[in-house]
Amino acid sequence: MSVASVDEAAALLADGAIAALPGWVERCVAEACERAGVTARELGEPAQAAGEQCVAEIGPPLRDLLATDVDEQQTTPLSVLRGAVRFPTEVLADGGVPAPERDDFDASRFPGDPYGLTPASFADIEPDLGPIGIAWGAAKAFEVLQRRRAEGQR
């Protein structure tokens, strides 16, 4: 993947992630139900609604972050996207789907994620986002490096 600037990569990442969120929410619900041996049929509509709500609530802060100057960004897009885990979690909990056993690390690192849905990478949300996330990270690093060199720092 070739991008001309960090801004172009940021726009691609925001657009791709926001487009993928509804499907990711629905997939998380379906896969968690399957792991629990529960039929996901009744949770289809709530999962779809949660996916739409996820876009409405996660999309704007993700776009805002990615539109922020690289030197001013206080978090990462993956951190923002990890906040989306509450949407499938609520559908599953409201649907009475039992949460699986989790190891101590996961339980302490992600206490608000009893179903183990937190994405470890952009590709966990949508496989095509993996290369876009790498391109954005590389473009951001290049931009920061260029600025530091211009400031006389190495």
Side-chain angles (χ1 to χ4, degrees):
M1 163 168 285
S2 174
V3 293
S5 69
V6 70
D7 293 335
E8 180 184 353
L12 288 170
L13 184 56
D15 291 346
I18 291 167
L21 283 172
W24 175 78
V25 169
E26 292 178 43
R27 204 168 45 255
C28 283
V29 170
E31 291 171 1
C33 285
E34 184 178 320
R35 284 190 300 273
V38 174
T39 303
R41 194 171 337 122
E42 294 110 25
L43 299 182
E45 279 187 40
Q48 185 176 15
E52 293 168 9
Q53 188 64 32
C54 180
V55 167
E57 291 185 31
I58 299 297
L62 180 65
R63 283 201 191 280
D64 289 347
L65 172 67
L66 288 166
T68 300
D69 183 82
V70 295
D71 284 330
E72 302 298 319
Q73 293 176 0
Q74 298 296 310
T75 190
T76 68
L78 188 55
S79 293
V80 173
L81 290 169
R82 284 178 174 160
V85 78
R86 73 182 171 89
F87 295 94
T89 297
E90 289 173 3
V91 172
L92 292 163
D94 290 350
V97 176
E101 290 286 326
R102 295 173 58 212
D103 65 40
D104 291 340
F105 175 80
D106 283 344
S108 66
R109 181 74 174 109
F110 304 109
D113 180 17
Y115 296 94
L117 306 174
T118 300
S121 71
F122 295 113
D124 288 343
I125 294 168
E126 167 60 45
D128 291 345
L129 284 179
I132 297 169
I134 291 169
W136 171 79
K140 179 180 177 179
F142 181 75
E143 178 70 23
V144 170
L145 181 62
Q146 293 298 99
R147 289 179 184 187
R148 297 307 167 265
R149 285 184 176 160
E151 295 167 357
Q153 300 176 3
R154 289 195 185 236

